[in-house]
Amino acid sequence: MHRSQSSSLLKVFPYLLSDDCWAESDRDYQGNFVANRQTFPSGIKALADYVHAKGLKLGIYSDAGTRTCSMKMPGSLDHEEQDVKTFSSWGIDYLKYDNCNPAGRSITERYTKMSNAMKTYGKNIFSLCEWGRENPATWAGSMGNSWRTTDDISDNWASMTSRADQNDRWASYAGPGGWNDPDMLQVGNGGMSEAEYRSHFSIWALAKAPLLIGCDVRSMSQQTKDILSNSEVIAVNQDSLGVQGKKVQSDNGLEVWAGPLSNNRKAVVLWNRQGYQAIITAQWSNIGLSSSTAVTARDLWAHSSFSAQGQLSASVAPHDCKMYVLTPK
């Protein structure tokens, strides 16, 4: 991929996030994190300065336990304030906080300590990676900006669809400032078809999930870039109303997902989870419209518009979807 392609995509996705293993295996003599000297010889502060100079923001990883999930670096348990002060001094903008090696201490105790440190000393986005084990949607809203509702996602159809369903049950808990997180996007990693990746991106966008690219942006195909940079789909994800869309119809794998948008609009996804071509119909009564309402329907993948009233039908390919924004006339 040409550098210009990579740069244009990064403008849409402004955070660069480092996951586990960025640090040395031990803290320094003062108990501070030390960046891995081989991977980051100039340190994290220099990296943050470089990223910020490009107009981007930098995220980092830690863990609410004694060691991280890889066991290769220290966790932040009992070092919460110290670590947040370190991250702030480096210019970090985002913290992903994992949940391995808890030393027998409760999840709420450990995440509350880091949340308090972040509120006192940090200016970062705080992302809780608790994997949905103890229903964080019901308690994490006062602690951070997003919380994982699922186990880790894998790059295959079964994993992606199950994560979508697990996340859907918590739709009512999401809203501006705090979002359900069904894990990062797998688009472009090679384990699913174009249709399946299009469905993946559409459902994550409708669900107002954090859109985190999980593939190598340096080597992505044009097909992958076209999916990830669809500005009309991204606009649904970023809509100011901030209401998570959800599954509203299901008939043996032929599904309608929908949710409200600002300015009285509706976002609708017709999702075919079967292995054959099928017609899917969204009834107005299931998406919050009266039967007499006429709309302009904008197809976000075909980039075309048409009129509809009472219902919306389309023939959808196997494992594919159609995504629309409906604007009442």
Side-chain angles (χ1 to χ4, degrees):
M1 184 171 66
H2 296 300
R3 179 173 295 180
S4 59
Q5 291 178 303
S6 177
S7 298
S8 63
L9 191 65
L10 290 174
K11 290 178 182 177
V12 180
F13 296 85
Y15 285 87
L16 299 179
L17 308 182
S18 173
D19 217 312
D20 199 352
C21 304
W22 61 266
E24 290 286 344
S25 59
D26 295 301
R27 295 172 179 269
D28 68 16
Y29 74 96
Q30 294 179 312
N32 295 312
F33 271 127
V34 179
N36 184 287
R37 294 180 179 87
Q38 182 174 358
T39 308
F40 302 106
S42 299
I44 301 300
K45 177 64 166 63
L47 175 63
D49 290 344
Y50 176 81
V51 169
H52 291 156
K54 299 294 183 181
L56 304 172
K57 298 181 179 181
L58 184 64
I60 208 163
Y61 167 102
S62 192
D63 185 277
T66 56
R67 305 290 295 182
T68 62
C69 293
S70 69
M71 298 297 291
K72 292 183 178 180
M73 57 179 272
S76 287
L77 186 62
D78 295 329
H79 290 267
E80 291 86 0
E81 289 189 6
Q82 181 177 21
D83 290 348
V84 171
K85 289 178 181 178
T86 296
F87 298 151
S88 294
S89 72
W90 289 344
I92 296 299
D93 305 293
Y94 182 118
L95 175 63
K96 173 185 174 180
Y97 205 45
D98 223 336
N99 188 36
C100 290
N101 305 301
R105 290 155 67 175
S106 76
I107 184 71
T108 52
E109 174 200 351
R110 291 179 291 112
Y111 276 93
T112 297
K113 288 182 70 176
M114 180 53 85
S115 176
N116 289 340
M118 293 282 288
K119 291 172 182 176
T120 303
Y121 301 104
K123 57 181 180 179
N124 317 30
I125 288 178
F126 185 32
S127 174
L128 290 73
C129 186
E130 186 270 347
W131 320 308
R133 302 288 175 82
E134 297 192 39
N135 304 332
T138 64
W139 50 262
S142 63
M143 296 187 188
N145 306 105
S146 68
W147 43 86
R148 280 279 297 280
T149 54
T150 71
D151 281 326
D152 291 352
I153 192 172
S154 298
D155 183 25
N156 62 73
W157 173 254
S159 177
M160 183 271 286
T161 55
S162 69
R163 301 307 180 267
D165 290 338
Q166 291 165 24
N167 188 64
D168 185 52
R169 65 181 291 212
W170 304 109
S172 64
Y173 291 90
W179 309 102
N180 293 316
D181 179 8
D183 205 8
M184 70 181 68
L185 296 163
Q186 297 298 309
V187 179
N189 280 328
M192 287 186 268
S193 67
E194 178 184 5
E196 291 167 345
Y197 283 141
R198 186 163 41 245
S199 294
H200 181 13
F201 195 60
S202 298
I203 294 297
W204 262 237
L206 182 83
K208 306 301 189 293
L211 299 180
L212 307 175
I213 297 175
C215 71
D216 189 338
V217 299
R218 300 169 300 176
S219 57
M220 67 170 61
S221 67
Q222 186 61 46
Q223 179 186 95
T224 294
K225 183 175 182 289
D226 289 343
I227 292 174
L228 292 174
S229 61
N230 186 320
S231 60
E232 295 190 77
V233 175
I234 292 170
V236 170
N237 178 261
Q238 298 291 301
D239 183 71
S240 61
L241 189 63
V243 175
Q244 178 173 326
K246 58 187 178 180
K247 188 185 304 187
V248 298
Q249 285 179 221
S250 181
D251 180 16
N252 192 31
L254 306 179
E255 299 182 350
V256 177
W257 294 58
L261 300 174
S262 57
N263 300 318
N264 297 315
R265 299 169 301 147
K266 306 291 182 181
V268 179
V269 176
L270 310 181
W271 193 11
N272 182 1
R273 290 166 63 161
Q274 286 289 2
Y276 52 83
Q277 187 98 8
I279 294 175
I280 303 177
T281 300
Q283 301 292 340
W284 262 209
S285 58
N286 289 328
I287 61 176
L289 293 173
S290 67
S291 59
S292 61
T293 301
V295 304
T296 298
R298 177 67 175 177
D299 186 325
L300 305 190
W301 289 107
H303 304 295
S304 60
S305 300
F306 57 93
S307 296
Q309 185 171 349
Q311 65 181 32
L312 180 67
S313 293
S315 181
V316 186
H319 290 193
D320 208 342
C321 73
K322 301 283 188 178
M323 188 171 188
Y324 306 94
V325 168
L326 308 184
T327 304
K329 293 186 177 180

